[in-house]
Amino acid sequence: MNFGLSRVLVTGGAGFIGSHLVDTLVAEGCDVVVLDNLSSGSLSNLKHVKDKITFYKGDIQDQKILMEAAKNCEVIFHQAAMVSVTKTVDNPVDSAFINDMGTLFVLDAGRKNKVKRVVLASSSAVYGDDPLLPKHENMPLKPMSPYAVQKLTGELNARIYHDLYGLETVCLRYFNVYGPRQDPSSPYSGVISIFMTKAVSKKPPVIYGDGKQYRDFVFVKDVVKANLLAATEDDAAGQIFNIGTGKHVSINNLWDMISLFSGLKIEPEYIPSRPGDIIESVASIEQAKSALGFEPDYLFEKGLEITFKWYKDSRK
Ligand code: UD1
């Protein structure tokens, strides 16, 4: 793939998804600027590219540093956020400063610096628990947490900046992203990161409910690919796309597959469902296919195998 981008800014570039994006942009020969306050990201995610990027340790709420970082950039990939839904529930106001105002500052830095396009990380959380499946971009939205409201606000502001100021914006609604570097440390971390840690330490996982609930798990490298397409496809400007695989895997099935990699058959511990847990979630990716030419490259087995190897190696 040759995307031909020159200078780009990745906010949250030291985080799980952001750092994979940085890897690919560096490999593509882009001049990459990263802005990250290291609140949830880590420099260790960037150690292999540290000499090839310009790194600013700073917050997206600091307009001065943001303006500096965005200078002469062609595209901004906005990945920085308070990413824990639970933390936004505990801190609805503080998280709004980061996720709402921070996103507005990023859009405004894009406008003032005459950046061509801003690609924003949104979330399938905006759909809430509407039972309609697969989730498609035009269905009614039902955000059920401050996090989901903040992501939706970002989408609305992106549209305003596109319509009023001519800034090209593209919003990507990520489904359940997994892969190397995902932090497993909280009970609210992504289920794959938690299960991987259990498998490599040969411990039983906890499954909430009967384990028949399912998700659309998308490998982080496919999310990176979607970002690059969103940054460069002419037709994408002003639009919103689901980024998933269009396929789903149950939590029981997930543990069975991970168990195969570990070579052990460990019975999970079943406990009652999480309050408010969504039973079924799967994306329609038709719009991303037709407007972006997006097609996931990683079969679930493949992405899971790469991820398992990473958790195994990082335990050593
Ligand atoms: C995601 C968010 C969550 C948010 C929800 C609504 C992440 C990591 N989680 O949850 O905070 O409220 O979207 O938009 O982004 N599970 C287990 N055992 C575990 C962990 C999870 O059985 O140890 C189950 C959960 O009950 C759930 C499924 O695995 O049914 C997936 O969980 P999770 O990875 O947290 O993702 P979401 O539920 O989609």
Side-chain angles (χ1 to χ4, degrees):
M1 279 189 283
N2 183 358
F3 291 94
L5 293 171
S6 54
R7 190 173 171 87
V8 297
L9 168 63
V10 183
T11 70
F16 160 47
I17 299 173
S19 65
H20 284 281
L21 187 53
V22 170
D23 284 351
T24 303
L25 290 163
V26 167
E28 287 283 324
C30 300
D31 182 5
V32 182
V33 182
V34 170
L35 175 64
D36 200 304
N37 66 2
L38 302 179
S39 60
S40 57
S42 162
L43 282 180
S44 64
N45 289 335
L46 294 173
K47 59 179 182 302
H48 50 290
V49 288
K50 70 177 192 321
D51 299 331
K52 297 181 179 149
I53 61 172
T54 307
F55 181 78
Y56 289 90
K57 181 174 183 305
D59 199 290
I60 49 170
Q61 296 172 83
D62 177 346
Q63 291 184 76
K64 200 163 161 258
I65 199 166
L66 187 53
M67 284 300 285
E68 176 67 27
K71 205 181 278 173
N72 299 323
C73 284
E74 194 181 349
V75 174
I76 301 176
F77 296 93
H78 178 39
Q79 308 295 314
M82 185 184 273
V83 289
S84 157
V85 177
T86 320
K87 274 194 191 162
T88 71
V89 172
D90 293 343
N91 306 290
V93 175
D94 289 347
S95 60
F97 280 109
I98 301 166
N99 292 348
D100 284 342
M101 282 311 292
T103 299
L104 199 53
F105 287 146
V106 169
L107 289 166
D108 212 51
R111 175 174 78 104
K112 289 182 179 147
N113 275 301
K114 301 203 176 348
V115 165
K116 186 165 188 295
R117 192 171 283 194
V118 180
V119 181
L120 288 103
S122 184
S123 167
S124 62
V126 298
Y127 294 116
D129 63 358
D130 192 312
L132 191 68
L133 290 169
K135 313 277 187 197
H136 64 82
E137 289 86 345
N138 301 320
M139 68 189 268
L141 302 176
K142 196 179 163 195
M144 292 166 66
S145 62
Y147 177 78
V149 169
Q150 290 154 9
K151 286 292 173 185
L152 184 54
T153 307
E155 291 185 1
L156 293 172
N157 278 323
R159 184 168 60 73
I160 296 299
Y161 270 69
H162 174 262
D163 294 354
L164 291 185
Y165 307 120
L167 175 70
E168 293 187 4
T169 57
V170 186
C171 300
L172 302 180
R173 288 181 183 157
Y174 300 161
F175 278 65
N176 291 63
V177 187
Y178 72 98
R181 304 181 194 153
Q182 190 171 27
D183 178 12
S185 61
S186 122
Y188 299 98
S189 298
V191 64
I192 294 188
S193 67
I194 296 176
F195 280 14
M196 288 292 174
T197 320
K198 296 287 184 191
V200 296
S201 54
K202 303 183 176 25
K203 292 195 176 124
V206 163
I207 291 185
Y208 301 111
D210 62 9
K212 290 184 183 151
Q213 69 269 36
Y214 64 71
R215 294 292 184 274
D216 185 333
F217 294 107
V218 56
F219 189 56
V220 66
K221 290 287 179 205
D222 281 326
V223 172
V224 168
K225 178 183 173 187
N227 270 274
L228 275 111
L229 291 167
T232 49
E233 279 300 318
D234 288 341
D235 291 348
Q239 296 203 59
I240 295 171
F241 299 101
N242 285 342
I243 300 302
T245 64
K247 301 195 174 89
H248 55 81
V249 177
S250 76
I251 303 308
N252 284 333
N253 221 332
L254 171 67
W255 177 248
D256 287 345
M257 292 171 79
I258 295 177
S259 297
L260 281 182
F261 292 124
S262 68
L264 294 166
K265 184 76 192 127
I266 301 176
E267 279 307 308
E269 182 192 342
Y270 285 89
I271 66 169
S273 298
R274 270 184 189 171
D277 204 9
I278 288 162
I279 306 299
E280 293 159 336
S281 169
V282 64
S284 159
I285 56 167
E286 294 312 311
Q287 290 200 24
K289 274 186 188 168
S290 60
L292 301 179
F294 172 72
E295 191 78 62
D297 289 329
Y298 289 82
L299 286 176
F300 189 57
E301 293 74 5
K302 183 73 193 159
L304 215 53
E305 189 186 348
I306 296 169
T307 308
F308 182 77
K309 186 174 179 320
W310 184 83
Y311 280 91
K312 212 168 114 197
D313 291 348
S314 39
R315 193 179 142 79
K316 280 179 196 153

